[in-house]
Amino acid sequence: MRVAGIDCGTNSIRLLIADVDADGVLTDVVRTMHIVRLGQGVDRTGWFDPQALERTFAAIDEYAQLIKQHQCEAVVFAATSATRDASNRDIFIDGVYDRLGVWPRVLSGEEEARTSFAGAMSAVHNPAGPLVAVDLGGGSTELVLGDSDGNVLSAFSMDVGSVRMRERRMVSDPATAEEITAARQDIAQALDEAERVVDLSQARTVLGLAGTITSVAALTLDLTEYDSDRIHGLQMSVAQIDETTQWFIDSTLAQRQAVPFLHPRRADVMGAGALVWQEVIHRIAQRSAEAGHQLESITISEHDILDGLALMAAGV
């Protein structure tokens, strides 16, 4: 069965066209992304900016042509954090239907977390459990505790992400010490709330998902161009994540724009996203140590909510 999944987040909109076999195994046909910044200003204003809508609709028009060209049998379009927050979301929802003929699903934070986990687990073999998946997006960050069989034990969506923290706190170039401290406090408060639901101390493995986290991995590998095959499955230590995220946090916009593999429209929010990733990993490592065990593995995954949406389209 050939299906399409579209993930429309705060910063990017991504398309996966895939063939799904009887066992629920995905084979990519098309996997592509545009950074459209749909959530531009939503944290401050509470509504979608007309220019952001225009950029997003242009990407959806392109995706509609690809879906038609590849004769997809089913399409699932998911909208996440920015759409949950925008008061004028109906304009966006109607615009998606006009272009694709399907109504977008506005996922709750927990639905987003569970779909991300399903997508990540579809491409992980024999992980040590329990494990925590971290899906770090532009507007929110999902934390999912699950077992090695892919069962979700608990899930929580935090209203912190690369775009939200950049617009709310880290506005200078580079961010000032005061801005970084304020951002860390916001993230810490969000993690405190998340821990009422998700027991981070159980984690033996962490799965890191989405563009900020894979970009940190790419810089750690010193890549000159983005290489999904080298990034997927990469094992990272807390020390490696600390070193690379700190570079992004301290760097100027010009320095980030000079990173050869980094998308130009991701450069301005990478410092804020790296800070979120650093704080999440610190918290999980701290809870693991308090529970009397070391965090055994931090694994980077190129598979996430987009794969979960394709599986959903296939009815898996």
Side-chain angles (χ1 to χ4, degrees), residues 205-256:
T205 300
V206 171
L207 290 179
L209 321 177
T212 290
I213 292 173
T214 58
S215 296
V216 169
L219 189 63
T220 301
L221 290 169
D222 198 25
L223 297 182
T224 55
E225 60 182 20
Y226 197 85
D227 187 338
S228 296
D229 290 338
R230 290 190 63 188
I231 292 168
H232 181 67
L234 179 69
Q235 305 287 310
M236 296 187 67
S237 66
V238 174
Q240 286 176 314
I241 291 171
D242 247 348
E243 180 181 359
T244 309
T245 53
Q246 196 61 50
W247 184 87
F248 277 118
I249 293 163
D250 294 337
S251 61
T252 64
L253 176 59
Q255 288 172 318
R256 295 191 296 274

Side-chain angles (χ1 to χ4, degrees), residues 132-137 141-143 158 160-162 165 184 187 191 205-217 220 234 236-238 240-242 244-246 248-249 270-285 295 297-301:
V132 170
V134 182
D135 186 345
L136 201 171
T141 298
E142 282 63 52
L143 301 175
M158 305 188 297
V160 295
S162 60
M165 286 296 98
R184 288 193 192 278
I187 299 162
L191 283 165
T205 300
V206 171
L207 290 179
L209 321 177
T212 290
I213 292 173
T214 58
S215 296
V216 169
T220 301
L234 179 69
M236 296 187 67
S237 66
V238 174
Q240 286 176 314
I241 291 171
D242 247 348
T244 309
T245 53
Q246 196 61 50
F248 277 118
I249 293 163
M270 265 305 301
L275 185 67
V276 177
W277 182 219
Q278 187 182 86
E279 287 293 306
V280 170
I281 286 299
H282 283 181
R283 182 68 66 95
I284 297 173
L295 183 60
S297 174
I298 302 165
T299 303
I300 310 305
S301 175

Side-chain angles (χ1 to χ4, degrees), residues 146-167:
D147 63 24
S148 56
D149 293 324
N151 300 305
V152 174
L153 305 177
S154 58
F156 189 83
S157 179
M158 305 188 297
D159 279 337
V160 295
S162 60
V163 175
R164 198 183 296 268
M165 286 296 98
R166 166 69 174 83
E167 292 184 351

Side-chain angles (χ1 to χ4, degrees), residues 185-206:
Q185 290 172 346
D186 283 356
I187 299 162
Q189 290 173 3
L191 283 165
D192 290 345
E193 187 177 357
E195 284 195 273
R196 299 189 186 104
V197 178
V198 179
D199 183 1
L200 300 179
S201 71
Q202 292 190 44
R204 294 301 193 273
T205 300
V206 171

